[in-house]
mmCIF file of all heavy atoms in Angstrom:
data_model
loop_
_atom_site.group_PDB
_atom_site.id
_atom_site.type_symbol
_atom_site.label_atom_id
_atom_site.label_comp_id
_atom_site.label_asym_id
_atom_site.label_seq_id
_atom_site.Cartn_x
_atom_site.Cartn_y
_atom_site.Cartn_z
ATOM 1 N N SER M 42 4.803 18.870 -12.647
ATOM 2 C CA SER M 42 6.015 19.470 -13.205
ATOM 3 C C SER M 42 5.878 19.715 -14.699
ATOM 4 O O SER M 42 6.272 20.768 -15.211
ATOM 5 C CB SER M 42 7.210 18.546 -12.942
ATOM 6 O OG SER M 42 8.374 19.054 -13.547
ATOM 7 N N ASN M 51 4.475 28.560 -22.486
ATOM 8 C CA ASN M 51 3.441 29.365 -23.129
ATOM 9 C C ASN M 51 3.533 30.832 -22.739
ATOM 10 O O ASN M 51 3.259 31.708 -23.546
ATOM 11 C CB ASN M 51 2.056 28.833 -22.768
ATOM 12 C CG ASN M 51 1.654 27.645 -23.628
ATOM 13 O OD1 ASN M 51 2.102 27.526 -24.755
ATOM 14 N ND2 ASN M 51 0.834 26.768 -23.094
ATOM 15 N N ASN M 88 -7.179 32.687 -32.991
ATOM 16 C CA ASN M 88 -8.165 32.198 -32.023
ATOM 17 C C ASN M 88 -7.529 31.321 -30.957
ATOM 18 O O ASN M 88 -7.938 31.337 -29.784
ATOM 19 C CB ASN M 88 -9.281 31.438 -32.750
ATOM 20 C CG ASN M 88 -10.186 32.362 -33.535
ATOM 21 O OD1 ASN M 88 -10.290 33.547 -33.233
ATOM 22 N ND2 ASN M 88 -10.837 31.833 -34.558
ATOM 23 N N ALA M 92 -7.644 32.184 -27.051
ATOM 24 C CA ALA M 92 -8.224 31.238 -26.099
ATOM 25 C C ALA M 92 -7.281 30.959 -24.937
ATOM 26 O O ALA M 92 -7.726 30.702 -23.809
ATOM 27 C CB ALA M 92 -8.586 29.935 -26.816
ATOM 28 N N TYR M 150 8.964 45.949 -27.045
ATOM 29 C CA TYR M 150 7.689 45.468 -26.519
ATOM 30 C C TYR M 150 7.781 43.994 -26.143
ATOM 31 O O TYR M 150 7.318 43.590 -25.063
ATOM 32 C CB TYR M 150 6.593 45.682 -27.558
ATOM 33 C CG TYR M 150 5.227 45.220 -27.102
ATOM 34 C CD1 TYR M 150 4.543 45.904 -26.109
ATOM 35 C CD2 TYR M 150 4.629 44.085 -27.656
ATOM 36 C CE1 TYR M 150 3.290 45.484 -25.677
ATOM 37 C CE2 TYR M 150 3.388 43.657 -27.234
ATOM 38 C CZ TYR M 150 2.721 44.360 -26.244
ATOM 39 O OH TYR M 150 1.489 43.933 -25.818
ATOM 40 N N VAL M 160 5.729 32.907 -32.845
ATOM 41 C CA VAL M 160 5.015 32.191 -33.889
ATOM 42 C C VAL M 160 4.655 33.246 -34.932
ATOM 43 O O VAL M 160 3.982 34.229 -34.618
ATOM 44 C CB VAL M 160 3.757 31.498 -33.350
ATOM 45 C CG1 VAL M 160 2.989 30.817 -34.483
ATOM 46 C CG2 VAL M 160 4.131 30.484 -32.274
ATOM 47 N N GLU M 227 -2.163 22.982 -39.124
ATOM 48 C CA GLU M 227 -2.591 21.740 -38.471
ATOM 49 C C GLU M 227 -1.484 21.196 -37.568
ATOM 50 O O GLU M 227 -1.761 20.777 -36.432
ATOM 51 C CB GLU M 227 -2.973 20.707 -39.521
ATOM 52 C CG GLU M 227 -3.487 19.399 -38.927
ATOM 53 C CD GLU M 227 -3.884 18.387 -39.987
ATOM 54 O OE1 GLU M 227 -3.666 18.652 -41.177
ATOM 55 O OE2 GLU M 227 -4.389 17.308 -39.599
#
Side-chain angles (χ1 to χ4, degrees):
S42 176
N51 278 332
N88 288 336
Y150 180 70
V160 177
E227 182 179 6

